[in-house]
Amino acid sequence: MSGTALVTGVTGQDGGYLVEQLAGSGWSVHGVVRPGEALPEALWALGEAVVLHEADLLDHTAMRQVLAAASPDAVFNLAGLSSVAESWDQPVLAARVNGLAVAFLLDLVWRRQEATGHAVRFLQASSAEIFSGAEQAPQNESTEVSPRSPYGAAKAYAHHLVQVYRARGLHAVSTILYNHESPRRPPTFVTRKITQAVAAIAEGQQRSLVLGNLAARRDWGWAPEYVDAMVRALQHSSADDYIIATGRSHSVEDFVAAAFARVGIQDWRALVSVDPALHRPADAVELVGDASRARDRLGWSADLDFADIVGRMVDHDRALLQRGRR
């Protein structure tokens, strides 16, 4: 399948990888950016392969104009507040951007499809945080939705809306993404904070690393692979919900150990301290996903292992420091 795709959130980690994959597969790609938003280097590098539109997702009129201009065959909604921690500081913003904006967009897409007779497929980037209160592990698509943060609650609302519009006749897909990383992950995330700090310690530019809950466990995958799962899910003949995960969980401490191992430091504990103030108000104990449906129906699997994911991020951050020193 190819055609015209409209992607929101193109300046984020997943958005950049997605537009690269779509453009490389013959899609005509349009992206939505906030007015005045700075563009990352990866997006600049695509040049004319991506047509950019400035619009606020909460501006119904502006988004209607973007849809009319792009006339997409598929809409990938990757935009939103991406930090669980930030959602505790700005719960109303999380509700508006991660929830209400999705309602706006689904309604616009459905109404455009009804008015023009042109079928449009829709994909929502959902999150494992909708299961953060779940007692069972691993979680699957039938696990009860039970968020424990403003971020998770807003994502849960959007997740349910996708199912509502699917029942209404829209080809609406939800990919429930578990944690996925890459060198493009912003340093506001604990994973990139770790790899940047370890790289700096290895280069003699930093002495220590301060973290919060080392026991928190997550299912960490490789972002480009998860973007590929999104494309597969949207292109499948029937719309459904898909968990995208590795099926293996690791603790934050495991992530730290793997990062230090990459730079040859085994005895790292004296270099790391814990600050209770960095703990989240309500942190999920373990999030690990069962991606059997994605494997069986989409032919998708997570291939890059945990140590390689961490190692590639550390290598990237160390190379940046060495390049800067030169």
Side-chain angles (χ1 to χ4, degrees), residues 15-253:
Y17 286 122
L18 178 59
V19 296
E20 287 173 355
Q21 178 170 336
L22 292 173
S25 301
W27 285 77
S28 174
V29 184
H30 293 248
V32 180
V33 297
R34 294 190 303 272
E37 184 175 15
L39 303 182
E41 182 180 343
L43 198 56
W44 276 113
L46 289 170
E48 295 181 355
V50 180
V51 179
L52 297 179
H53 305 264
E54 285 195 345
D56 187 323
L57 287 183
L58 291 168
D59 186 334
H60 220 192
T61 300
M63 287 305 300
R64 185 182 295 108
Q65 292 170 346
V66 169
L67 279 170
S71 188
D73 302 294
V75 175
F76 293 83
N77 184 39
L78 277 59
L81 186 73
S82 58
S83 169
V84 175
E86 188 178 353
S87 78
W88 286 105
D89 295 328
Q90 302 190 72
V92 175
L93 179 63
R96 296 183 70 217
V97 176
N98 291 359
L100 188 57
V102 183
F104 282 163
L105 192 53
L106 279 164
D107 183 61
L108 285 174
V109 171
W110 182 80
R111 289 182 185 278
R112 178 171 177 79
Q113 177 176 276
E114 291 297 297
T116 64
H118 177 74
V120 183
R121 295 189 174 197
F122 182 94
L123 182 134
Q124 167 68 10
S126 188
S127 167
E129 287 293 329
I130 67 174
F131 299 137
S132 54
E135 296 182 1
Q136 74 177 74
Q139 299 86 39
N140 58 40
E141 291 84 358
S142 299
T143 299
E144 181 183 1
V145 173
S146 53
R148 295 183 65 187
S149 68
Y151 173 91
K155 282 288 191 178
Y157 171 63
H159 178 74
H160 286 313
L161 278 174
V162 169
Q163 296 172 334
V164 168
Y165 275 86
R166 183 188 305 151
R168 200 177 190 189
L170 187 67
H171 189 103
V173 177
S174 179
T175 47
I176 307 168
L177 305 169
Y178 280 64
N179 292 60
H180 48 289
E181 310 300 327
S182 78
R184 296 181 186 178
R185 177 63 86 188
T188 51
F189 285 73
V190 67
T191 47
R192 189 75 190 284
K193 175 182 178 180
I194 292 168
T195 61
Q196 283 188 334
V198 170
I201 290 170
E203 292 297 312
Q205 298 184 24
Q206 187 170 322
R207 293 185 177 182
S208 63
L209 169 62
V210 181
L211 294 170
N213 183 10
L214 293 180
R217 301 186 67 85
R218 294 293 183 270
D219 183 332
W220 275 296
W222 183 237
E225 293 181 343
Y226 282 42
V227 163
D228 178 60
M230 293 186 214
V231 177
R232 290 173 182 243
L234 179 118
Q235 293 183 149
H236 195 267
S237 57
S238 59
D240 211 335
D241 303 326
Y242 293 96
I243 281 182
I244 308 302
T246 72
R248 299 175 296 276
S249 71
H250 297 273
S251 66
V252 174
E253 183 174 328

